[in-house]
Amino acid sequence: MKVNEVKTSTDLDAIVDTLTAAFLEDDPVVNWLIPPGTPERERYLRGFLRAWVKFMLDHEGTAIVTADHSGVLIWEPSPSGRKVPLTAEDEEAFLADIAASTGPAEKRCLQLIEALDSNYPRDLPRHGHVALAAVHPEARGTDARTALTDELVRLAVSLDLGGYCEASSERNALLWERLGMQRIGEPIQLPESDVTLTPMFIPPPGVQG
């Protein structure tokens, strides 16, 4: 398999390694979540991402990765598209896992999950939620990102799904726009800050936006 060919993966450690390396660099949401200079910042970000990714993979989510795991994209069914709806016990266990692994960042990690959940649009046509996507800093400039997004488009067509995501920066929003996503609704404001996420959506094939 070539480096930038893609596959699905359940290698939690490798997935979290790439996400942590990518988001630690200069992501405004992560800078709000765990401010630069926080002692053991990487440890707490890794703990949060591990809890989140594990929860998604355990509940119908899929991780698409490049062969060397230098590029990662994780998507999950929309709330209405799940085969097995999440229970209150599932969600409580997830929040407890976050609380146990994020130390002083616990409050904001929980606030982020709450903001994403409470602002999730419930009336969109059938779609998947692209929750996390990143390329390891050492793989920037390769075709890893293109390989992942090409596979995402292929899956969307084969499954007859649209896509929803929350872009964590203007740069990321512009990247998603190049794939045909459009900004929808109001930005998601994070507490006690001027940091926002941008909700974006592309309808299923053949459905007008």
Side-chain angles (χ1 to χ4, degrees):
M1 180 177 284
K2 296 179 181 178
V3 171
N4 287 334
E5 289 184 357
V6 296
K7 61 181 181 179
T8 59
S9 175
T10 57
D11 188 337
L12 190 58
D13 288 336
I15 292 167
V16 172
D17 284 348
T18 292
L19 293 173
T20 302
F23 293 144
L24 267 178
E25 275 207 327
D26 188 28
D27 184 275
V29 171
V30 171
N31 288 346
W32 168 84
L33 192 70
I34 312 174
T38 301
E40 298 188 272
R41 183 173 186 250
E42 181 174 345
R43 170 191 170 190
Y44 296 125
L45 176 59
R46 185 180 298 275
F48 172 63
L49 291 170
R50 186 180 183 86
W52 192 5
V53 172
K54 184 178 186 301
F55 177 76
M56 287 189 285
L57 296 186
D58 286 347
H59 296 87
E60 302 180 46
T62 300
I64 304 168
V65 302
T66 55
D68 61 354
H69 283 79
S70 63
V72 173
L73 186 152
I74 301 168
W75 72 277
E76 60 182 345
S78 65
S80 62
R82 292 185 177 279
K83 295 177 183 177
V84 180
L86 296 176
T87 66
E89 290 77 13
D90 292 332
E91 294 175 351
E92 287 170 6
F94 172 43
L95 299 180
D97 197 9
I98 291 175
S101 57
T102 54
E106 173 190 346
K107 178 181 176 181
R108 285 192 173 179
C109 289
L110 295 175
Q111 286 177 325
L112 175 59
I113 294 299
E114 168 60 24
L116 295 176
D117 183 63
S118 63
N119 286 280
Y120 199 107
R122 308 288 169 170
D123 57 351
L124 295 174
R126 59 191 181 276
H127 67 280
H129 174 214
V130 184
L132 293 165
V135 173
H136 195 286
E138 294 179 0
R140 304 263 168 85
T142 70
D143 62 352
R145 189 188 307 276
T146 300
L148 291 173
T149 54
D150 284 353
E151 177 63 9
L152 183 63
V153 171
R154 187 195 70 77
L155 279 171
V157 171
S158 66
L159 298 173
D160 194 28
L161 292 175
Y164 170 77
C165 74
E166 303 99 346
S168 62
S169 68
E170 180 62 17
R171 176 178 176 274
N172 290 339
L174 292 172
L175 289 172
W176 287 117
E177 283 181 329
R178 292 176 195 168
L179 291 175
M181 282 197 168
Q182 297 180 350
R183 303 171 195 234
I184 60 170
E186 296 296 321
I188 300 170
Q189 186 83 41
L190 295 180
E192 301 172 2
S193 77
D194 58 0
V195 179
T196 61
L197 294 101
T198 304
M200 306 190 72
F201 182 69
I202 185 170
V207 175
Q208 295 294 320

